[in-house]
Amino acid sequence: MAETPGRPDDARAARAAPTILIVDDDRDVLRATERVLEEAGFHVLTGTRAAEAIELTYHHRPALLLLDVQLPDGDGIDVARQLKGDPALVDVFVALFSGTKTSSADQAKGLAEGLADGYMVRPLSSPELLARIDAFLRIRVTQRALRESADNFHAFFDAVADIIVVGTPDGRIIYANKAFKKLTGHDPSAVIGKDPRILQGPG
């Protein structure tokens, strides 16, 4: 039997499509959002409870989690706090996704405390929803590239035998390599945020 034209490409596209997890206890919103995202080519997972948000995130590692702030069994911000506190989930972009009744204080709390990477307030038109998700995914790619660049930077300078200290233009130490501890006996973390002049010693 001849292969159906286009099917291999469709399979590759399905494998390559980012996974988006939506957790919202409003089933109408859940189904409508799921339909829009699936039609746009995303692989979509759904849940209605805080426990599902945690379980599905750990099991599937979605590219993006759209997380309602108010869930039947917990606070979405508390869920975000747990997920963002785990280095293993650093590549999961968490966007709080809630109704218009959500206060600006909730939004500020989630963003300012680093508990979420983004925020969306419903209702959204399909084009706006997709545009925001596209923006979130592009930010996620940029964040990952910056983390990889920082890791390479640290690996290179940690291999150098001499002390290397990096500071900001306003005079704060932001990095000290492994040789710093070996040659001074002090942990690099002890000087982060300090004035570089403390390294000169008295006089």
Side-chain angles (χ1 to χ4, degrees):
M1 179 182 293
E3 284 190 352
T4 303
R7 188 165 294 174
D9 288 339
D10 291 343
R12 282 194 293 271
R15 288 195 298 270
T19 296
I20 297 178
L21 169 60
I22 314 165
V23 180
D24 196 311
D25 63 332
D26 187 324
R27 294 184 183 275
D28 290 335
V29 169
L30 200 62
R31 285 192 292 268
T33 306
E34 179 183 18
R35 183 175 63 253
V36 171
L37 297 185
E38 286 184 338
E39 289 176 354
F42 294 106
H43 177 225
V44 182
L45 303 170
T46 62
T48 59
R49 304 175 67 83
E52 289 179 295
I54 294 170
E55 179 184 356
L56 291 170
T57 299
Y58 274 100
H59 185 71
H60 294 280
R61 307 293 171 92
L64 171 63
L65 165 60
L66 299 181
L67 179 64
D68 192 4
V69 172
Q70 297 178 342
L71 295 166
D73 59 335
D75 188 324
I77 291 180
D78 290 335
V79 172
R81 179 181 289 109
Q82 177 176 337
L83 298 178
K84 297 300 289 184
D86 189 338
L89 301 177
V90 67
D91 275 339
V92 178
F93 192 102
V94 178
L96 298 178
F97 182 60
S98 195
T100 54
K101 293 182 180 180
T102 301
S103 71
S104 59
D106 282 338
Q107 298 183 36
K109 181 180 179 182
L111 296 173
E113 295 183 15
L115 305 179
D117 301 297
Y119 206 103
M120 287 196 291
V121 177
R122 303 190 308 265
L124 293 169
S125 67
S126 297
E128 184 179 4
L129 172 65
L130 293 174
R132 287 177 179 268
I133 286 177
D134 181 63
F136 287 156
L137 293 175
R138 283 188 278 109
I139 292 171
R140 173 180 175 266
V141 170
T142 301
Q143 289 176 337
R144 183 165 55 187
L146 290 173
R147 283 194 299 270
E148 291 174 353
S149 178
D151 289 343
N152 291 336
F153 169 88
H154 291 163
F156 177 80
F157 285 113
D158 281 343
V160 176
D162 296 324
I163 291 176
I164 295 177
V165 175
V166 178
T168 62
D170 62 349
R172 292 179 300 106
I173 296 173
I174 58 173
Y175 170 77
N177 68 345
K178 288 183 177 179
F180 181 88
K181 182 174 183 177
K182 182 177 180 181
L183 298 177
T184 69
H186 298 292
D187 195 295
S189 63
V191 298
I192 301 301
K194 302 288 183 63
D195 189 314
R197 287 175 293 184
I198 68 170
L199 304 178
Q200 297 174 358

